[in-house]
mmCIF file of all heavy atoms in Angstrom:
data_model
loop_
_atom_site.group_PDB
_atom_site.id
_atom_site.type_symbol
_atom_site.label_atom_id
_atom_site.label_comp_id
_atom_site.label_asym_id
_atom_site.label_seq_id
_atom_site.Cartn_x
_atom_site.Cartn_y
_atom_site.Cartn_z
ATOM 1 N N THR N 1 -4.947 -9.603 7.428
ATOM 2 C CA THR N 1 -5.265 -8.984 8.710
ATOM 3 C C THR N 1 -5.437 -7.475 8.618
ATOM 4 O O THR N 1 -6.087 -6.876 9.455
ATOM 5 C CB THR N 1 -4.179 -9.316 9.754
ATOM 6 O OG1 THR N 1 -2.909 -8.960 9.219
ATOM 7 C CG2 THR N 1 -4.199 -10.805 10.092
ATOM 8 N N SER N 2 -4.844 -6.865 7.597
ATOM 9 C CA SER N 2 -5.034 -5.433 7.363
ATOM 10 C C SER N 2 -4.859 -5.157 5.876
ATOM 11 O O SER N 2 -4.127 -5.869 5.189
ATOM 12 C CB SER N 2 -4.064 -4.590 8.187
ATOM 13 O OG SER N 2 -2.726 -4.855 7.830
ATOM 14 N N ILE N 3 -5.559 -4.127 5.408
ATOM 15 C CA ILE N 3 -5.528 -3.800 3.988
ATOM 16 C C ILE N 3 -5.469 -2.294 3.811
ATOM 17 O O ILE N 3 -6.213 -1.557 4.460
ATOM 18 C CB ILE N 3 -6.773 -4.357 3.261
ATOM 19 C CG1 ILE N 3 -6.760 -5.885 3.334
ATOM 20 C CG2 ILE N 3 -6.831 -3.874 1.817
ATOM 21 C CD1 ILE N 3 -7.955 -6.566 2.744
ATOM 22 N N ALA N 4 -4.574 -1.857 2.927
ATOM 23 C CA ALA N 4 -4.531 -0.464 2.493
ATOM 24 C C ALA N 4 -4.958 -0.447 1.034
ATOM 25 O O ALA N 4 -4.719 -1.412 0.299
ATOM 26 C CB ALA N 4 -3.120 0.106 2.636
ATOM 27 N N GLN N 5 -5.591 0.644 0.618
ATOM 28 C CA GLN N 5 -6.023 0.767 -0.765
ATOM 29 C C GLN N 5 -5.435 2.041 -1.367
ATOM 30 O O GLN N 5 -5.283 3.042 -0.680
ATOM 31 C CB GLN N 5 -7.547 0.832 -0.862
ATOM 32 C CG GLN N 5 -8.239 -0.428 -0.445
ATOM 33 C CD GLN N 5 -9.759 -0.316 -0.558
ATOM 34 O OE1 GLN N 5 -10.296 0.660 -1.041
ATOM 35 N NE2 GLN N 5 -10.436 -1.353 -0.094
ATOM 36 N N ALA N 6 -5.128 1.960 -2.657
ATOM 37 C CA ALA N 6 -4.640 3.123 -3.403
ATOM 38 C C ALA N 6 -5.219 3.052 -4.800
ATOM 39 O O ALA N 6 -5.390 1.962 -5.356
ATOM 40 C CB ALA N 6 -3.115 3.134 -3.450
ATOM 41 N N ASP N 7 -5.515 4.230 -5.391
ATOM 42 C CA ASP N 7 -6.097 4.237 -6.733
ATOM 43 C C ASP N 7 -5.207 4.888 -7.781
ATOM 44 O O ASP N 7 -5.587 5.006 -8.941
ATOM 45 C CB ASP N 7 -7.479 4.890 -6.723
ATOM 46 C CG ASP N 7 -7.455 6.346 -6.304
ATOM 47 O OD1 ASP N 7 -6.373 6.873 -5.975
ATOM 48 O OD2 ASP N 7 -8.539 6.963 -6.306
ATOM 49 N N THR N 8 -3.995 5.301 -7.378
ATOM 50 C CA THR N 8 -3.042 5.888 -8.318
ATOM 51 C C THR N 8 -1.660 5.277 -8.090
ATOM 52 O O THR N 8 -1.387 4.705 -7.022
ATOM 53 C CB THR N 8 -2.923 7.419 -8.141
ATOM 54 O OG1 THR N 8 -2.355 7.690 -6.851
ATOM 55 C CG2 THR N 8 -4.269 8.112 -8.289
ATOM 56 N N GLU N 9 -0.807 5.443 -9.077
ATOM 57 C CA GLU N 9 0.562 4.944 -8.964
ATOM 58 C C GLU N 9 1.282 5.591 -7.781
ATOM 59 O O GLU N 9 1.876 4.905 -6.946
ATOM 60 C CB GLU N 9 1.292 5.238 -10.280
ATOM 61 C CG GLU N 9 2.671 4.664 -10.396
ATOM 62 C CD GLU N 9 3.298 4.927 -11.762
ATOM 63 O OE1 GLU N 9 2.576 4.911 -12.792
ATOM 64 O OE2 GLU N 9 4.519 5.159 -11.794
ATOM 65 N N ALA N 10 1.212 6.917 -7.690
ATOM 66 C CA ALA N 10 1.887 7.636 -6.600
ATOM 67 C C ALA N 10 1.292 7.265 -5.246
ATOM 68 O O ALA N 10 2.014 7.089 -4.257
ATOM 69 C CB ALA N 10 1.807 9.140 -6.831
ATOM 70 N N GLY N 11 -0.030 7.148 -5.194
ATOM 71 C CA GLY N 11 -0.688 6.782 -3.946
ATOM 72 C C GLY N 11 -0.295 5.393 -3.479
ATOM 73 O O GLY N 11 -0.147 5.148 -2.283
ATOM 74 N N ALA N 12 -0.117 4.486 -4.415
ATOM 75 C CA ALA N 12 0.289 3.123 -4.074
ATOM 76 C C ALA N 12 1.686 3.099 -3.469
ATOM 77 O O ALA N 12 1.921 2.427 -2.460
ATOM 78 C CB ALA N 12 0.236 2.235 -5.315
ATOM 79 N N VAL N 13 2.594 3.834 -4.084
ATOM 80 C CA VAL N 13 3.972 3.882 -3.564
ATOM 81 C C VAL N 13 3.970 4.491 -2.163
ATOM 82 O O VAL N 13 4.602 3.964 -1.240
ATOM 83 C CB VAL N 13 4.899 4.651 -4.524
ATOM 84 C CG1 VAL N 13 6.283 4.828 -3.910
ATOM 85 C CG2 VAL N 13 4.995 3.921 -5.865
ATOM 86 N N ALA N 14 3.240 5.578 -1.982
ATOM 87 C CA ALA N 14 3.172 6.230 -0.670
ATOM 88 C C ALA N 14 2.582 5.289 0.379
ATOM 89 O O ALA N 14 3.096 5.194 1.505
ATOM 90 C CB ALA N 14 2.354 7.513 -0.760
ATOM 91 N N ALA N 15 1.512 4.580 0.033
ATOM 92 C CA ALA N 15 0.879 3.660 0.980
ATOM 93 C C ALA N 15 1.834 2.528 1.365
ATOM 94 O O ALA N 15 1.899 2.138 2.528
ATOM 95 C CB ALA N 15 -0.402 3.087 0.378
ATOM 96 N N ALA N 16 2.584 2.018 0.388
ATOM 97 C CA ALA N 16 3.527 0.926 0.661
ATOM 98 C C ALA N 16 4.680 1.390 1.548
ATOM 99 O O ALA N 16 5.125 0.646 2.419
ATOM 100 C CB ALA N 16 4.062 0.345 -0.640
ATOM 101 N N LEU N 17 5.153 2.604 1.309
ATOM 102 C CA LEU N 17 6.247 3.108 2.135
ATOM 103 C C LEU N 17 5.768 3.430 3.545
ATOM 104 O O LEU N 17 6.528 3.315 4.507
ATOM 105 C CB LEU N 17 6.885 4.333 1.480
ATOM 106 C CG LEU N 17 7.583 4.067 0.139
ATOM 107 C CD1 LEU N 17 8.151 5.358 -0.435
ATOM 108 C CD2 LEU N 17 8.669 3.001 0.271
ATOM 109 N N ASP N 18 4.498 3.820 3.677
ATOM 110 C CA ASP N 18 3.916 4.115 4.991
ATOM 111 C C ASP N 18 3.748 2.844 5.814
ATOM 112 O O ASP N 18 4.038 2.826 7.005
ATOM 113 C CB ASP N 18 2.571 4.823 4.811
ATOM 114 C CG ASP N 18 1.953 5.202 6.136
ATOM 115 O OD1 ASP N 18 2.636 5.860 6.951
ATOM 116 O OD2 ASP N 18 0.776 4.848 6.361
ATOM 117 N N GLN N 19 3.250 1.787 5.188
ATOM 118 C CA GLN N 19 3.083 0.492 5.849
ATOM 119 C C GLN N 19 3.407 -0.600 4.838
ATOM 120 O O GLN N 19 2.573 -0.944 3.997
ATOM 121 C CB GLN N 19 1.661 0.320 6.384
ATOM 122 C CG GLN N 19 1.490 -0.956 7.179
ATOM 123 C CD GLN N 19 0.107 -1.075 7.822
ATOM 124 O OE1 GLN N 19 -0.759 -0.237 7.635
ATOM 125 N NE2 GLN N 19 -0.090 -2.134 8.565
ATOM 126 N N PRO N 20 4.623 -1.138 4.877
ATOM 127 C CA PRO N 20 5.039 -2.130 3.885
ATOM 128 C C PRO N 20 4.117 -3.358 3.863
ATOM 129 O O PRO N 20 3.834 -3.954 4.896
ATOM 130 C CB PRO N 20 6.444 -2.518 4.333
ATOM 131 C CG PRO N 20 6.941 -1.308 5.065
ATOM 132 C CD PRO N 20 5.722 -0.780 5.776
ATOM 133 N N PRO N 21 3.644 -3.710 2.666
ATOM 134 C CA PRO N 21 2.760 -4.870 2.548
ATOM 135 C C PRO N 21 3.539 -6.174 2.435
ATOM 136 O O PRO N 21 4.675 -6.191 1.975
ATOM 137 C CB PRO N 21 2.011 -4.588 1.246
ATOM 138 C CG PRO N 21 3.000 -3.826 0.421
ATOM 139 C CD PRO N 21 3.775 -2.983 1.399
ATOM 140 N N GLU N 22 2.893 -7.273 2.848
ATOM 141 C CA GLU N 22 3.452 -8.607 2.622
ATOM 142 C C GLU N 22 3.014 -9.145 1.262
ATOM 143 O O GLU N 22 3.681 -10.003 0.699
ATOM 144 C CB GLU N 22 3.024 -9.579 3.718
ATOM 145 C CG GLU N 22 3.801 -9.442 5.010
ATOM 146 C CD GLU N 22 3.261 -8.342 5.920
ATOM 147 O OE1 GLU N 22 2.077 -7.991 5.833
ATOM 148 O OE2 GLU N 22 4.054 -7.822 6.720
ATOM 149 N N VAL N 23 1.873 -8.646 0.760
ATOM 150 C CA VAL N 23 1.341 -9.045 -0.539
ATOM 151 C C VAL N 23 0.736 -7.800 -1.185
ATOM 152 O O VAL N 23 0.144 -6.968 -0.505
ATOM 153 C CB VAL N 23 0.250 -10.142 -0.407
ATOM 154 C CG1 VAL N 23 -0.348 -10.491 -1.768
ATOM 155 C CG2 VAL N 23 0.807 -11.394 0.266
ATOM 156 N N ILE N 24 0.882 -7.696 -2.517
ATOM 157 C CA ILE N 24 0.268 -6.616 -3.282
ATOM 158 C C ILE N 24 -0.721 -7.238 -4.267
ATOM 159 O O ILE N 24 -0.402 -8.222 -4.933
ATOM 160 C CB ILE N 24 1.324 -5.804 -4.062
ATOM 161 C CG1 ILE N 24 2.315 -5.137 -3.110
ATOM 162 C CG2 ILE N 24 0.646 -4.762 -4.965
ATOM 163 C CD1 ILE N 24 3.519 -4.493 -3.813
#
């Protein structure tokens, strides 16, 4: 239903903490 994208290790962690994913 929604998707966040990240292209770096740090960006991925930040995106997950901003909106916790149900699946990675």
Side-chain angles (χ1 to χ4, degrees):
T1 53
S2 62
I3 296 176
Q5 294 180 6
D7 62 358
T8 66
E9 186 177 324
V13 174
L17 295 179
D18 182 53
Q19 185 175 3
E22 281 84 25
V23 177
I24 298 171

